[in-house]
Amino acid sequence: MIRINKRGSVAFGGKPDDDLYETGPRSTTALELRDFGEEANSRLPNRGAGHGRDKGVEVAATYVMSNTNPTGWPIQALLGNNMHSGLFIIPDNGDPEGRFLYDPSGSYMSREIGSGRALYGPEVSPEDYLLYQLRDGPNVTVRKFATTPEEEAEIIRRADEIGSGGWAGCTTSVSEAVSGVGPFRGVEKTDWPVVLDRQLRGLNRHVGEATDLESLRRVLRKP
């Protein structure tokens, strides 16, 4: 489902939030990374060869974020506790250029993120992304899955094809991007964050989970 910003939803009579992400000029690198297209998409999958990575070696992790806070009146009666879903990939080698975040149908960093709701490179901050979701309430869970370069490349390729997700398409897009890939075998496409999170938990394949900033920092550390 789409992430509805309860505090800033003009469509439902609210007032827009202050932009917490107005932090000044962005670097040229960040601006170059903001476009979600073939050129940007080619960066991460090909990076392994240049760093001498062996095929199939786990060099990163894929994190799926489930925001199951109430969507807020008047649409809560329809959508329930199904606020938002997203995902990000963080390389274990610490290379910030290899970071990737996919926020379909979301409102996170709307000025910097690409037209396909994806962000590449140093601008990706898992901590900032989690804090943004926690503004809706405490019911946010990030699950960490060990993935190979090939699996990450497939997830990113699918995200590229799916794109922004349209209205209320966040969980549909995220579940479609990961379904059947590596540790996500058994995940079926769904429209609902609660259902996707239940599927992810039921796989029993995640290697860590976080519900707040401190626990996220722990799971981001290398074992």
Side-chain angles (χ1 to χ4, degrees), residues 34-53:
R34 63 185 289 190
D35 292 329
F36 187 74
E38 182 177 352
E39 181 179 355
N41 189 49
S42 66
R43 301 182 59 134
L44 182 59
N46 294 332
R47 189 171 298 279
H51 288 230
R53 296 174 183 168

Side-chain angles (χ1 to χ4, degrees), residues 11-30:
F12 295 106
K15 295 182 179 179
D17 288 333
D18 293 334
D19 187 356
L20 298 184
Y21 302 94
E22 290 285 352
T23 54
R26 300 291 174 175
S27 66
T28 301
T29 301

Side-chain angles (χ1 to χ4, degrees), residues 30-38 40 101-106 108-120 159-166 173:
L31 292 175
E32 291 172 348
L33 291 171
R34 63 185 289 190
D35 292 329
F36 187 74
E38 182 177 352
L101 184 147
Y102 184 44
D103 190 55
S105 304
Y108 174 71
M109 293 182 70
S110 59
R111 291 183 300 105
E112 290 85 3
I113 209 161
S115 60
R117 302 301 305 160
L119 183 66
Y120 290 80
D160 188 12
E161 289 185 350
I162 297 165
S164 63
S173 300

Side-chain angles (χ1 to χ4, degrees), residues 183-203:
F184 301 105
R185 289 186 296 273
V187 170
E188 298 180 353
K189 183 177 176 180
T190 178
D191 298 335
W192 307 103
V194 169
V195 175
L196 176 58
D197 189 56
R198 187 184 305 133
Q199 290 188 58
L200 295 172
R201 184 174 64 250
L203 292 175

Side-chain angles (χ1 to χ4, degrees), residues 62-128:
T62 299
Y63 301 75
V64 181
M65 185 283 305
S66 300
N67 183 339
T68 56
N69 285 289
T71 50
W73 183 261
I75 61 174
Q76 186 174 354
L78 175 64
L79 301 183
N81 296 348
N82 287 284
M83 180 67 76
H84 194 53
S85 299
L87 69 84
F88 52 90
I89 295 172
I90 304 296
D92 282 346
N93 66 1
D95 183 3
E97 295 289 345
R99 295 183 174 192
F100 170 78
L101 184 147
Y102 184 44
D103 190 55
S105 304
S107 55
Y108 174 71
M109 293 182 70
S110 59
R111 291 183 300 105
E112 290 85 3
I113 209 161
S115 60
R117 302 301 305 160
L119 183 66
Y120 290 80
E123 289 293 307
V124 174
S125 170
E127 296 93 339
D128 193 52

